Amino acid sequence: MTGGQVRRRRRRWLAPVAALAMISAAACGSTPADQPAATASTAPRSDGAADQAKRVDACALLTAEEVTGVIGAKGGTDPEARDNGSGGGSCEWENPDTYHSITISIGSPGTAASGELPEDPFVNEPGPDGIRFGSGGMARFTAQDRACDIQVVTKGTGDTDRSTAIRLIGLVRDRIR
């Protein structure tokens, strides 16, 4: 399978999963859209509204060096960010020469109430530390009260990227706290 075919197949698979994640996030609740600018912190706002959290800049959760170490020399350049408007968002880094990529999606506050992931028939294989795996390098995890996803694609099959996903999840969890 050529790099272009892998990329097209991954993108076809990623779009429905991303849509499902956003629908799940919307169904589980959200926070107001007038919150402070991007940050990796989820500390309560200083105005005393404990249930409101700051936005998470998904692209700031991994350093350029960490990304480049996984997907190659061009990994740290021009990540593609998306804000879901309710305190979460996503970021994708891709090496255009190899089509290796990392995609992180951070759910809105409350999408993983009590630290529990919502049921998902496509991402349901148990892993360490409450992580669930799906096909194509997809892993779902919680960070505080947020349901999050990470997809690491560097090999022909996503299963070989699981150890990298587990390591990156540890970094992301530590930075969202």
Short mmCIF file of all heavy atoms in Angstrom, two decimals, residues 96-127:
data_model
loop_
_atom_site.label_atom_id
_atom_site.label_comp_id
_atom_site.label_asym_id
_atom_site.label_seq_id
_atom_site.Cartn_x
_atom_site.Cartn_y
_atom_site.Cartn_z
N PRO A 96 4.57 15.38 5.81
CA PRO A 96 4.06 15.21 4.46
C PRO A 96 4.91 14.29 3.59
O PRO A 96 4.43 13.79 2.58
CB PRO A 96 4.07 16.64 3.89
CG PRO A 96 5.06 17.37 4.71
CD PRO A 96 5.04 16.75 6.07
N ASP A 97 6.14 14.03 4.01
CA ASP A 97 7.00 13.12 3.24
C ASP A 97 6.68 11.65 3.51
O ASP A 97 6.80 10.81 2.62
CB ASP A 97 8.47 13.37 3.55
CG ASP A 97 8.92 14.76 3.12
OD1 ASP A 97 8.32 15.31 2.17
OD2 ASP A 97 9.87 15.29 3.73
N THR A 98 6.28 11.34 4.75
CA THR A 98 6.03 9.94 5.13
C THR A 98 4.57 9.64 5.44
O THR A 98 4.20 8.48 5.58
CB THR A 98 6.85 9.59 6.38
OG1 THR A 98 6.40 10.41 7.46
CG2 THR A 98 8.34 9.77 6.14
N TYR A 99 3.78 10.68 5.60
CA TYR A 99 2.37 10.59 6.02
C TYR A 99 2.24 10.05 7.44
O TYR A 99 1.16 9.64 7.84
CB TYR A 99 1.53 9.75 5.04
CG TYR A 99 1.55 10.32 3.66
CD1 TYR A 99 2.19 9.65 2.63
CD2 TYR A 99 0.96 11.54 3.38
CE1 TYR A 99 2.22 10.18 1.35
CE2 TYR A 99 1.00 12.07 2.11
CZ TYR A 99 1.63 11.39 1.10
OH TYR A 99 1.67 11.92 -0.15
N HIS A 100 3.31 10.05 8.21
CA HIS A 100 3.21 9.71 9.62
C HIS A 100 2.52 10.88 10.32
O HIS A 100 2.73 12.04 9.97
CB HIS A 100 4.60 9.49 10.22
CG HIS A 100 5.29 8.28 9.66
ND1 HIS A 100 6.57 7.95 10.02
CD2 HIS A 100 4.90 7.33 8.79
CE1 HIS A 100 6.93 6.85 9.39
NE2 HIS A 100 5.93 6.47 8.63
N SER A 101 1.71 10.56 11.32
CA SER A 101 0.95 11.63 11.97
C SER A 101 0.62 11.31 13.42
O SER A 101 0.65 10.16 13.84
CB SER A 101 -0.34 11.91 11.21
OG SER A 101 -1.20 10.80 11.29
N ILE A 102 0.31 12.38 14.14
CA ILE A 102 -0.25 12.31 15.49
C ILE A 102 -1.45 13.24 15.49
O ILE A 102 -1.35 14.39 15.05
CB ILE A 102 0.75 12.80 16.57
CG1 ILE A 102 2.02 11.96 16.57
CG2 ILE A 102 0.08 12.79 17.94
CD1 ILE A 102 3.12 12.53 17.45
N THR A 103 -2.57 12.75 15.98
CA THR A 103 -3.77 13.57 16.12
C THR A 103 -4.25 13.44 17.55
O THR A 103 -4.40 12.33 18.06
CB THR A 103 -4.89 13.11 15.16
OG1 THR A 103 -4.38 13.13 13.83
CG2 THR A 103 -6.10 14.01 15.26
N ILE A 104 -4.47 14.58 18.20
CA ILE A 104 -4.99 14.61 19.57
C ILE A 104 -6.32 15.34 19.55
O ILE A 104 -6.45 16.39 18.95
CB ILE A 104 -4.02 15.36 20.52
CG1 ILE A 104 -2.69 14.64 20.62
CG2 ILE A 104 -4.66 15.52 21.90
CD1 ILE A 104 -1.67 15.40 21.45
N SER A 105 -7.31 14.77 20.23
CA SER A 105 -8.60 15.43 20.40
C SER A 105 -8.91 15.46 21.89
O SER A 105 -8.94 14.42 22.55
CB SER A 105 -9.69 14.66 19.65
OG SER A 105 -10.94 15.24 19.88
N ILE A 106 -9.09 16.66 22.42
CA ILE A 106 -9.38 16.85 23.85
C ILE A 106 -10.86 17.21 23.98
O ILE A 106 -11.32 18.18 23.39
CB ILE A 106 -8.51 17.98 24.44
CG1 ILE A 106 -7.02 17.72 24.18
CG2 ILE A 106 -8.81 18.16 25.93
CD1 ILE A 106 -6.47 16.44 24.76
N GLY A 107 -11.58 16.43 24.73
CA GLY A 107 -13.00 16.67 24.91
C GLY A 107 -13.27 17.85 25.82
O GLY A 107 -12.40 18.34 26.55
N SER A 108 -14.47 18.32 25.77
CA SER A 108 -14.92 19.40 26.64
C SER A 108 -14.98 18.92 28.08
O SER A 108 -15.13 17.73 28.33
CB SER A 108 -16.32 19.85 26.21
OG SER A 108 -16.30 20.26 24.87
N PRO A 109 -14.89 19.83 29.04
CA PRO A 109 -15.06 19.43 30.43
C PRO A 109 -16.39 18.70 30.63
O PRO A 109 -17.40 19.08 30.06
CB PRO A 109 -15.04 20.76 31.19
CG PRO A 109 -14.27 21.69 30.31
CD PRO A 109 -14.63 21.28 28.91
N GLY A 110 -16.36 17.63 31.42
CA GLY A 110 -17.57 16.87 31.71
C GLY A 110 -17.84 15.73 30.75
O GLY A 110 -18.78 14.97 30.96
N THR A 111 -17.05 15.56 29.70
CA THR A 111 -17.30 14.49 28.74
C THR A 111 -16.87 13.13 29.26
O THR A 111 -17.22 12.11 28.67
CB THR A 111 -16.61 14.77 27.39
OG1 THR A 111 -15.22 15.01 27.61
CG2 THR A 111 -17.26 15.95 26.69
N ALA A 112 -16.13 13.11 30.37
CA ALA A 112 -15.76 11.85 31.03
C ALA A 112 -16.06 12.01 32.52
O ALA A 112 -15.17 12.05 33.35
CB ALA A 112 -14.30 11.51 30.80
N ALA A 113 -17.35 12.12 32.82
CA ALA A 113 -17.78 12.33 34.20
C ALA A 113 -17.20 11.25 35.10
O ALA A 113 -17.16 10.08 34.74
CB ALA A 113 -19.30 12.33 34.27
N SER A 114 -16.73 11.65 36.25
CA SER A 114 -16.13 10.74 37.24
C SER A 114 -14.95 9.96 36.68
O SER A 114 -14.65 8.87 37.14
CB SER A 114 -17.18 9.76 37.78
OG SER A 114 -18.26 10.46 38.35
N GLY A 115 -14.31 10.49 35.64
CA GLY A 115 -13.15 9.83 35.06
C GLY A 115 -13.47 8.60 34.23
O GLY A 115 -12.59 7.83 33.89
N GLU A 116 -14.73 8.41 33.89
CA GLU A 116 -15.16 7.25 33.10
C GLU A 116 -15.38 7.64 31.65
O GLU A 116 -16.02 8.64 31.36
CB GLU A 116 -16.46 6.67 33.67
CG GLU A 116 -16.34 6.13 35.07
CD GLU A 116 -15.46 4.90 35.15
OE1 GLU A 116 -15.51 4.06 34.23
OE2 GLU A 116 -14.70 4.79 36.13
N LEU A 117 -14.85 6.82 30.75
CA LEU A 117 -15.06 7.05 29.32
C LEU A 117 -16.47 6.64 28.92
O LEU A 117 -16.97 5.63 29.41
CB LEU A 117 -14.06 6.24 28.50
CG LEU A 117 -12.63 6.72 28.51
CD1 LEU A 117 -11.72 5.68 27.85
CD2 LEU A 117 -12.52 8.05 27.78
N PRO A 118 -17.09 7.40 28.02
CA PRO A 118 -18.38 6.94 27.49
C PRO A 118 -18.17 5.68 26.65
O PRO A 118 -17.09 5.46 26.11
CB PRO A 118 -18.84 8.12 26.62
CG PRO A 118 -17.68 9.02 26.46
CD PRO A 118 -16.67 8.68 27.49
N GLU A 119 -19.17 4.87 26.57
CA GLU A 119 -19.09 3.65 25.76
C GLU A 119 -18.89 4.00 24.30
O GLU A 119 -19.46 4.96 23.79
CB GLU A 119 -20.38 2.81 25.92
CG GLU A 119 -20.53 2.20 27.30
CD GLU A 119 -19.40 1.23 27.64
OE1 GLU A 119 -19.00 0.43 26.78
OE2 GLU A 119 -18.92 1.28 28.79
N ASP A 120 -18.06 3.22 23.63
CA ASP A 120 -17.79 3.41 22.21
C ASP A 120 -17.51 2.04 21.60
O ASP A 120 -16.50 1.41 21.93
CB ASP A 120 -16.58 4.33 22.01
CG ASP A 120 -16.31 4.65 20.55
OD1 ASP A 120 -16.74 3.88 19.66
OD2 ASP A 120 -15.67 5.68 20.30
N PRO A 121 -18.38 1.55 20.73
CA PRO A 121 -18.18 0.21 20.17
C PRO A 121 -16.96 0.10 19.26
O PRO A 121 -16.50 -1.00 18.98
CB PRO A 121 -19.48 -0.04 19.38
CG PRO A 121 -20.00 1.32 19.07
CD PRO A 121 -19.58 2.20 20.21
N PHE A 122 -16.41 1.22 18.81
CA PHE A 122 -15.27 1.18 17.90
C PHE A 122 -13.93 1.35 18.59
O PHE A 122 -12.89 1.06 18.02
CB PHE A 122 -15.43 2.26 16.82
CG PHE A 122 -16.69 2.09 16.03
CD1 PHE A 122 -17.76 2.95 16.22
CD2 PHE A 122 -16.84 1.05 15.13
CE1 PHE A 122 -18.93 2.80 15.51
CE2 PHE A 122 -18.01 0.88 14.42
CZ PHE A 122 -19.06 1.76 14.60
N VAL A 123 -13.94 1.85 19.81
CA VAL A 123 -12.71 2.05 20.58
C VAL A 123 -12.97 1.41 21.94
O VAL A 123 -13.29 2.08 22.91
CB VAL A 123 -12.35 3.55 20.71
CG1 VAL A 123 -11.02 3.74 21.41
CG2 VAL A 123 -12.33 4.22 19.35
N ASN A 124 -12.84 0.07 22.00
CA ASN A 124 -13.27 -0.63 23.21
C ASN A 124 -12.31 -1.69 23.72
O ASN A 124 -12.62 -2.39 24.67
CB ASN A 124 -14.65 -1.24 22.98
CG ASN A 124 -14.65 -2.25 21.86
OD1 ASN A 124 -13.62 -2.62 21.33
ND2 ASN A 124 -15.84 -2.71 21.50
N GLU A 125 -11.13 -1.83 23.13
CA GLU A 125 -10.18 -2.83 23.61
C GLU A 125 -9.42 -2.26 24.81
O GLU A 125 -8.77 -1.22 24.70
CB GLU A 125 -9.19 -3.19 22.50
CG GLU A 125 -8.24 -4.29 22.91
CD GLU A 125 -7.26 -4.62 21.80
OE1 GLU A 125 -7.61 -4.49 20.61
OE2 GLU A 125 -6.13 -5.01 22.14
N PRO A 126 -9.51 -2.92 25.97
CA PRO A 126 -8.89 -2.37 27.17
C PRO A 126 -7.37 -2.29 27.06
O PRO A 126 -6.73 -3.18 26.49
CB PRO A 126 -9.28 -3.35 28.28
CG PRO A 126 -10.29 -4.26 27.70
CD PRO A 126 -10.21 -4.17 26.23
N GLY A 127 -6.81 -1.22 27.63
CA GLY A 127 -5.38 -1.03 27.70
C GLY A 127 -5.00 -0.60 29.11
O GLY A 127 -5.85 -0.55 30.00
#
